[in-house]
Amino acid sequence: MSSHTERLDGRDTRWTTHRVQRRRQLVESAIKAIRKHGATVGMDDIAATAGTSKTVIYRHLGDRLGLYLAVVEAVDSLILNDFDKAISTGVDLDDPASLRSSDPHAVLVAVIDSYLSLVESDPELYRFVVRRPLVDLDADSDPVAGLTDAIAGRLSEIFSAALIAADRDPAPAATWGHALVGYVREAADRWLADPDRPPRADVVQHLAEFASVGLAGVLGSPQDTAPKSSL
């Protein structure tokens, strides 16, 4: 490789690194603006927080949709990281079948609390992500659905391994994973909208208690969960 080519490659690498860093900075500024001005924040406020112009934001992030998707991606990473930490407190992620020998209630408390913690600590950021104030999206393009699928997929893998370990059909695992995510998200949205909402710890316990009773039952042996004869 010639020295001229090496210089060009070096410039390309530096420029790519600069773009990545600038993009990250703009996303961080957008998140700060959302926290300060609320979920309905405008592009002018975001640009002011970033100390730049809307043109620069659009150059690095595309358009309003690009900005929204970049923020969602950052929030997704945060949620998934917290989720993995929470689930690992009760289940060996290298051996998901360990859920069968774990306390389902304790596992569910950790998982549900990780989600509600974000809702409570960053309510405007959460509203921004789930309500999509900057853009209109059809259901097939909703990035929040992608996050739901990612979390449900992780849960489904764990449920499936636990069922197989119990010599049970793993077919219900995917349905359970999505059902649990929808159950917690709906409850979290309702809790956030309640001006007199109860403490997070109470809600977490209520949700975990309700879900763990069913989870403990369905992960039991087939004999344990078989319908009892009325005779």
Side-chain angles (χ1 to χ4, degrees):
M1 181 182 294
S2 69
S3 59
H4 175 69
T5 302
E6 290 174 348
R7 286 197 298 272
L8 290 178
D9 289 345
R11 291 173 186 171
D12 287 343
T13 300
R14 288 193 296 273
W15 176 237
T16 299
T17 301
H18 169 74
R19 285 199 304 255
V20 171
Q21 292 175 340
R22 187 60 174 140
R23 176 186 173 88
R24 183 171 59 249
Q25 291 168 352
L26 291 173
V27 172
E28 291 173 352
S29 294
I31 291 175
K32 288 180 182 178
I34 294 165
R35 288 169 172 160
K36 179 179 180 181
H37 298 284
T40 58
V41 63
M43 291 298 296
D44 289 332
D45 289 325
I46 293 175
T49 301
T52 189
S53 65
K54 290 188 289 186
T55 301
V56 171
I57 293 177
Y58 293 144
R59 183 189 310 148
H60 286 274
L61 298 175
D63 53 13
R64 293 165 69 90
L65 175 59
L67 171 65
Y68 171 74
L69 294 177
V71 171
V72 172
E73 182 181 5
V75 174
D76 283 2
S77 297
L78 176 63
I79 292 176
L80 289 173
N81 183 57
D82 287 349
F83 173 83
D84 284 341
K85 288 181 180 177
I87 200 73
S88 65
T89 62
V91 178
D92 181 357
L93 294 180
D94 293 325
D95 179 23
S98 63
L99 177 61
R100 179 161 165 73
S101 59
S102 302
D103 176 7
H105 182 268
V107 174
L108 288 168
V109 165
V111 170
I112 295 171
D113 190 57
S114 72
Y115 190 89
L116 263 65
S117 291
L118 173 68
V119 174
E120 183 176 54
S121 63
D122 247 331
E124 294 304 325
L125 185 59
Y126 180 78
R127 290 188 179 102
F128 179 89
V129 168
V130 299
R131 296 181 182 177
R132 304 181 295 278
L134 288 180
V135 295
D136 292 321
L137 281 172
D138 57 49
D140 293 336
S141 304
D142 186 357
V144 177
L147 173 63
T148 297
D149 287 343
I151 295 176
R154 281 167 163 75
L155 289 170
S156 297
E157 290 175 2
I158 293 170
F159 293 157
S160 178
L163 284 167
I164 292 173
D167 197 25
R168 300 281 304 280
D169 182 2
T175 299
W176 295 351
H178 283 276
L180 183 58
V181 172
Y183 163 71
V184 173
R185 179 180 168 184
E186 183 64 26
D189 290 352
R190 177 65 185 85
W191 177 65
L192 182 61
D194 185 357
D196 299 318
R197 57 179 176 267
R200 185 184 87 236
D202 291 352
V203 177
V204 169
Q205 287 294 335
H206 295 161
L207 292 174
E209 182 177 10
F210 185 80
S212 64
V213 171
L215 186 59
V218 295
L219 289 181
S221 66
Q223 293 79 11
D224 292 339
T225 58
K228 298 292 190 275
S229 172
S230 59
L231 297 179

